[in-house]
């Protein structure tokens, strides 16, 4: 498809997403080569947020193979970790809110150490994101546990 229409790499859908946004959400080990191809042939789209405020790093934080995807982003477009949106904050805000594991948090901090003190208007700091709603009764127990571990790490 890309060989037949190279410009398709830079076209957005109705949600403001490039093909790389969708690939970050859904790619797993079986099609990681395709994700790598998209990232390396269109690196300028990795730090662009879609209409929801999500960049590729945001999507990588909430999908399978998170660390591997974040490593690819760091290799191809390191500035993507500084992509802050009005709705989601930085990728570390989003990851903290999702209750990501310590390896992911450490990697995100290594990419942008100053992110720990970046306060987003509505979200606060990454620690605020991890702490928010942690004790709600309707919160899924695995997510509650993940958010607690995330909070302890931060």
């Amino acid at each position: 498809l890309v060989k037949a229409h190279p410009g398709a790499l830079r076209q957005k859908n109705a949600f403001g997403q490039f093909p790389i946004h969708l690939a970050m959400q859904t790619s797993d080990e079986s099609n990681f080569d395709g994700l790598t191809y998209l990232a390396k042939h269109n690196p300028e789209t990795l730090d662009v947020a879609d209409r929801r405020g999500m960049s590729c790093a945001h999507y990588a934080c909430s999908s399978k193979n998170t660390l591997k995807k974040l490593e690819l982003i760091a290799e191809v477009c390191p500035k993507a970790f500084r992509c802050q949106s009005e709705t989601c904050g930085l990728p570390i805000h989003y990851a903290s809110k999702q209750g990501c594991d310590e390896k992911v948090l450490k990697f995100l901090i290594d990419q942008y150490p100053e992110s720990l003190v970046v306060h987003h208007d509505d979200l606060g700091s990454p620690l605020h994101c991890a702490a928010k709603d942690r004790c709600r009764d309707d919160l899924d127990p695995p997510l509650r546990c993940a958010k607690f571990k995330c909070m302890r790490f931060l």
Side-chain angles (χ1 to χ4, degrees):
L1 292 173
V2 174
K3 287 180 183 177
H5 182 46
L9 287 172
R10 289 169 198 75
Q11 289 180 329
K12 293 180 180 181
N13 65 14
F15 301 101
Q17 299 168 319
F18 291 108
I20 190 73
H21 284 105
L22 300 172
M24 277 293 169
Q25 293 174 60
T26 59
S27 293
D28 58 20
E29 285 297 322
S30 66
N31 56 2
F32 200 79
D33 289 343
L35 178 66
T36 302
Y37 179 88
L38 289 173
K40 290 188 175 185
H41 285 84
N42 205 23
E44 64 276 6
T45 60
L46 290 172
D47 67 335
V48 176
D50 64 13
R51 289 198 178 140
R52 289 182 51 209
M54 304 275 285
S55 70
C56 287
H58 289 91
Y59 281 120
C61 289
S62 64
S63 63
K64 295 178 181 176
N65 302 311
T66 297
L67 197 53
K68 191 171 180 178
K69 290 176 182 177
L70 291 175
E71 288 168 347
L72 174 63
I73 293 169
E75 175 190 336
V76 178
C77 185
K79 68 181 182 173
F81 298 100
R82 297 170 185 265
C83 181
Q84 181 165 317
S85 76
E86 291 180 23
T87 55
C88 302
L90 293 167
I92 194 168
H93 287 96
Y94 189 73
S96 298
K97 188 174 179 181
Q98 299 299 314
C100 70
D101 69 34
E102 292 176 14
K103 289 179 185 176
V104 170
L105 278 176
K106 182 171 178 359
F107 187 84
L108 290 169
I109 292 166
D110 288 346
Q111 300 312 304
Y112 183 25
E114 298 86 3
S115 66
L116 287 172
V117 295
V118 172
H119 282 255
H120 181 276
D121 292 340
D122 297 329
L123 301 173
S125 72
L127 181 57
H128 288 98
C129 293
K132 186 175 186 218
D133 299 331
R134 192 186 67 76
C135 295
R136 280 188 13 217
D137 290 336
D138 63 335
L139 196 64
D140 194 31
L143 179 57
R144 192 176 327 153
C145 181
K147 287 179 76 113
F148 179 72
K149 287 179 182 176
C150 179
M151 201 170 69
R152 277 194 0 218
F153 182 78
L154 290 171

